[in-house]
Amino acid sequence: MNNRKLMLGNEAIALGLVENKCAIVTSYPGTPASEILSSAASLQKAGNIQMHTQWAVNEKIAFEIAYTGSISSLRTAVSMKQVGLNVASDPLMSAAYMGTKGGFIIISADDPGPHSSQTEQDSRMMAMMAKIPVLDPDSPAQAREMVSMAYELSEEFGVPVMLRPSTRVCHSRQDIETSRIEPANCDENIKPDFQKDPARWAATPKFRYQLHKALEEKLAVIAKYEKTRPVRKNPGPVNSTAIVVSGVCAAHAEEILKDLELWDTLPLYQVIMPFPLHTDFISHLIDTYEEILVIEETTGIIEIQLRDRHRVKGKMNNIVPCVGELSPEKIEGLIRQTAGMTSSIAETKSVPGRRPTLCAGCPHRASFFAIKKAAPKGIYTSDIGCYTLGLNLGAVDTVLCMGAAVSQAAGFFHAYKNEAKKPDIVATIGDSTFFHSGIPALVDAVVQNIGFVLVILDNRTTAMTGSQPTPDTGLGASGEPLKRVNIESLVKGCGIEFCKTGNPYNLPDFTALVKEAVQYSRKNGPAVVISRYPCLLDRRQKHADPIPVRINENCDGCGYCIKHFECPALVMEQENQPVYIDPILCSRCGVCIHVCPKGSIEKKI
């Protein structure tokens, strides 16, 4: 019987959580981490496992739920992407001081590159700031194994432990042995047991000082923990130069040394716990080698902890790139240089790609078109999500971080409020992002009576990360029915007096609604328009009947629809040539009928 399976890195991590009897898994979706919770929920459902899985409103909430399960003596985990760790940083810092009872793993997936993130930040740096150990897997299989290691470490020392996979670990696939899966037995002996201890769990600043001292003492012992000691991958070679690697760079470096026939020449060490770096390992490196090449993504965490910087070649002396992924080609170049070999690596030329755009039939495109019509000289603030692509339509001027669309709208209002001519300000935010961190900013805007329009782009799901539910969806991580939180009620509860909902597919009516909101905001303060139509990729939702369209003979190739609506299904192969409709891409939403000012797009009869 074949007990092996080709698994995604995030699936392997979820498998590790189930195998290790994790009782609570929480998350907020974000690439490259999103599949961890959905995979755990699938395993839970398939095996009828007694495990709570939950998409939380944001990463801070997800962290606090999972952490509280840990101090009740259960094994728990929270997963997020590296930017989400910023949102959870407040409880992270305190949890490090107060410690844990049951094992607690913080899975923070990094995105060197970055492929789908605002920053390339290194979660290991956050672990160092929080003073908690962090494990750095090189592959899906090792990520799964490190779940067990992390729980053991967390429970032995009573501290949260971070697992930091990077994009190439999360989204690569590996043939993995699955014979140990025994989901039916995973709920054995899971009993919560919270021991009241206010001096620890509700510590005042005086006791926090004591907790900090205790944490430093734990770190000193963890820095000598045998099970997380760096691994010498090739015990044979003796050389005055060594290579130190971590994360996915370890997998690349091993292959490259073998390909270059340097496996028996250059010693290779893999650091599986970059922080705290083993003290004996630091001494061994300094005592043994004259030159040490450190290859790691994204920040020089290992390099920082090596005391004799004169021997270290890395990011601090600009030998190892500080920006972007360390691809196999880059690592081979570094190893060749260290070994005194000539470089035969051909530079990979970047090929200009097609710029990302909203899907054909995406309701957000219609919303942005209406906003531009309603406030053509406005300032447009926006947020994190697929609707960031509204910048292609000239309807997004700023994107900072989750929830900042509303706060930045307030900032622009204050900046211009004493000017004779004030710009209209229109902010856009997705439904999931509104729940995540838009609500507090909206409350502040109400209190300050900010004159702006907030358009909540409610496509009934968290579309960008794979259609995870929102609090308004009424479904849980496994598809189980939950209570719903109504956005209109929430908006009105924040104190908004102008709150109206429209369907962006009805473009003329929706444009009129946004114009009405803009007029209201100029004199009365904040107004909210909820743009509601389900994401076309979400097959759970009911969609309108298709409207077939055609280009008639009036099309003179002016390109207005291409420039201002940018639907991928509208194609103009050469300038000034008539537009045609790609039947494969067209969703038959019919919105483009209202876009052409010359009436050249019409319903096909």
Side-chain angles (χ1 to χ4, degrees):
M1 182 178 176
N2 185 4
N3 291 320
R4 303 189 70 84
K5 184 179 178 184
L6 195 61
M7 301 188 79
L8 198 68
N10 285 341
E11 293 173 331
I13 292 171
L15 176 60
L17 294 173
V18 172
E19 288 173 335
N20 285 278
K21 301 182 180 180
C22 177
I24 297 175
V25 191
T26 58
S27 183
Y28 182 81
T31 305
S34 300
E35 297 87 357
I36 296 172
L37 182 80
S38 55
S39 300
S42 296
L43 290 170
Q44 174 206 18
K45 192 173 183 179
N48 193 26
I49 300 168
Q50 186 178 321
M51 178 174 69
H52 176 69
T53 54
Q54 177 186 342
W55 291 115
V57 172
N58 62 34
E59 295 84 355
K60 179 177 183 290
I61 306 299
F63 188 106
E64 290 162 349
I65 293 169
Y67 175 69
T68 304
S70 166
I71 69 173
S72 302
S73 303
L74 302 178
R75 282 188 166 184
T76 65
V78 60
S79 67
M80 62 198 76
K81 68 181 297 180
Q82 89 283 5
V83 186
L85 191 59
N86 300 339
V87 180
S89 61
D90 209 358
L92 167 66
M93 299 300 159
S94 286
Y97 275 33
M98 292 189 290
T100 58
K101 296 289 283 185
F104 179 46
I105 305 177
I106 304 153
I107 306 166
S108 183
D110 281 3
D111 185 22
H115 299 278
S116 59
S117 305
Q118 306 94 302
T119 64
E120 285 192 275
Q121 67 192 63
D122 191 327
S123 293
R124 303 176 306 164
M125 185 69 88
M126 291 288 277
M128 179 182 274
M129 185 164 70
K131 301 178 186 292
I132 61 171
V134 53
L135 305 178
D136 202 1
D138 66 8
S139 61
Q142 193 175 57
R144 173 212 194 177
E145 296 296 331
M146 281 186 172
V147 171
S148 175
M149 186 184 294
Y151 275 130
E152 198 171 329
L153 186 60
S154 176
E155 290 170 354
E156 183 158 343
F157 293 96
V159 293
V161 173
M162 182 183 291
L163 179 65
R164 177 258 195 177
S166 60
T167 301
R168 299 297 171 186
V169 173
C170 292
H171 286 168
S172 60
R173 290 186 181 272
Q174 189 171 6
D175 182 27
I176 287 178
E177 170 67 49
T178 60
S179 60
R180 287 179 291 159
I181 302 176
E182 296 176 353
N185 297 325
C186 287
D187 59 348
E188 289 181 350
N189 303 318
I190 299 176
K191 302 292 181 188
D193 182 24
F194 176 62
Q195 300 290 326
K196 291 189 177 183
D197 183 2
R200 179 178 180 183
W201 305 125
T204 59
K206 178 182 177 182
F207 286 103
R208 298 274 174 152
Y209 173 75
Q210 298 300 330
L211 291 171
H212 187 190
K213 286 178 62 177
L215 179 58
E216 294 289 352
E217 290 167 3
K218 286 178 188 176
L219 280 175
V221 180
I222 292 171
K224 294 179 178 294
Y225 191 58
E226 191 61 30
K227 295 179 181 177
T228 54
R229 176 184 290 275
V231 177
R232 173 76 182 264
K233 303 288 286 185
N234 51 350
V238 176
N239 200 305
S240 59
T241 298
I243 299 175
V244 177
V245 288
S246 78
V248 74
C249 298
H252 295 330
E254 181 173 339
E255 289 183 4
I256 291 163
L257 282 175
K258 290 175 179 174
D259 289 346
L260 297 178
E261 298 182 347
L262 293 172
W263 186 248
D264 296 323
T265 303
L266 285 173
L268 177 68
Y269 294 87
Q270 181 185 4
V271 175
I272 58 178
M273 185 176 70
F275 180 81
L277 191 59
H278 273 240
T279 47
D280 291 346
F281 177 66
I282 295 172
S283 300
H284 170 71
L285 286 180
I286 300 303
D287 293 344
T288 309
Y289 300 103
E290 295 177 4
E291 187 176 74
I292 305 158
L293 173 64
V294 182
I295 306 175
E296 56 184 326
E297 290 176 327
T298 303
T299 309
I301 299 297
I302 297 170
E303 196 178 334
I304 288 170
Q305 297 172 82
L306 293 175
R307 297 187 184 95
D308 190 342
R309 303 269 173 81
H310 298 291
R311 302 188 192 195
V312 178
K313 295 163 66 177
K315 295 173 184 291
M316 291 186 175
N317 44 23
N318 296 317
I319 292 173
V320 178
C322 296
V323 178
E325 281 191 294
L326 293 179
S327 63
E329 291 78 14
K330 289 179 182 174
I331 293 174
E332 181 174 339
L334 291 167
I335 291 175
R336 281 178 174 273
Q337 186 180 11
T338 301
M341 301 171 70
T342 56
S343 176
S344 61
I345 307 296
E347 288 288 330
T348 303
K349 293 183 179 178
S350 60
V351 178
R354 182 179 178 182
R355 71 175 181 176
T357 186
L358 296 166
C359 302
C362 175
H364 297 340
R365 176 178 288 103
S367 297
F368 285 126
F369 190 82
I371 290 168
K372 287 279 289 180
K373 286 286 185 183
K377 296 183 180 178
I379 295 176
Y380 313 115
T381 61
S382 194
D383 228 291
I384 308 298
C386 43
Y387 49 90
T388 301
L389 297 174
L391 61 89
N392 294 347
L393 302 167
V396 170
D397 294 322
T398 67
V399 177
L400 181 61
C401 61
M402 296 285 274
V406 185
S407 319
Q408 289 197 288
F412 283 121
F413 175 82
H414 290 303
Y416 283 92
K417 66 183 177 184
N418 296 322
E419 300 296 314
K421 193 171 183 179
K422 303 176 183 62
D424 294 321
I425 303 168
V426 183
T428 47
I429 191 170
D431 45 346
S432 183
T433 310
F434 177 67
F435 284 113
H436 179 284
S437 49
I439 297 169
L442 183 60
V443 171
D444 188 76
V446 170
V447 172
Q448 297 294 329
N449 198 34
I450 303 300
F452 83 116
V453 177
L454 174 63
V455 180
I456 300 176
L457 302 167
D458 181 12
N459 61 2
R460 321 302 287 164
T461 189
T462 315
M464 189 179 190
T465 49
S467 298
Q468 292 83 8
T470 75
D472 196 16
T473 307
L475 296 172
S478 299
E480 73 277 16
L482 299 175
K483 285 193 174 181
R484 299 177 59 180
V485 176
N486 178 267
I487 293 180
E488 283 90 339
S489 300
L490 200 54
V491 169
K492 291 174 183 175
C494 290
I496 291 289
E497 296 176 357
F498 185 106
C499 176
K500 296 187 179 182
T501 301
N503 179 354
Y505 268 23
N506 298 327
L507 192 57
D509 290 347
F510 188 76
T511 303
L513 175 58
V514 180
K515 284 182 178 178
E516 181 187 353
V518 170
Q519 289 287 339
Y520 177 92
S521 69
R522 290 172 183 166
K523 298 179 180 177
N524 304 296
V528 172
V529 173
I530 300 170
S531 172
R532 179 166 292 151
Y533 193 84
C535 173
L536 290 187
L537 300 180
D538 187 355
R539 299 302 179 192
R540 298 170 302 188
Q541 307 284 346
K542 180 176 172 53
H543 297 92
D545 294 335
I547 302 174
V549 294
R550 64 181 287 270
I551 306 293
N552 63 33
E553 61 281 1
N554 294 329
C555 179
D556 59 3
C558 71
Y560 180 89
C561 59
I562 302 291
K563 181 179 179 182
H564 295 280
F565 198 59
E566 204 192 41
C567 178
L570 295 172
V571 181
M572 185 168 67
E573 292 184 337
Q574 292 185 9
E575 195 172 349
N576 299 324
Q577 292 295 310
V579 171
Y580 73 91
I581 296 171
D582 186 331
I584 296 176
L585 293 177
C586 182
S587 68
R588 295 166 180 78
C589 66
V591 175
C592 58
I593 292 172
H594 307 287
V595 170
C596 178
K598 300 169 183 172
S600 300
I601 306 175
E602 62 184 13
K603 184 177 180 180
K604 185 191 290 183
I605 300 176

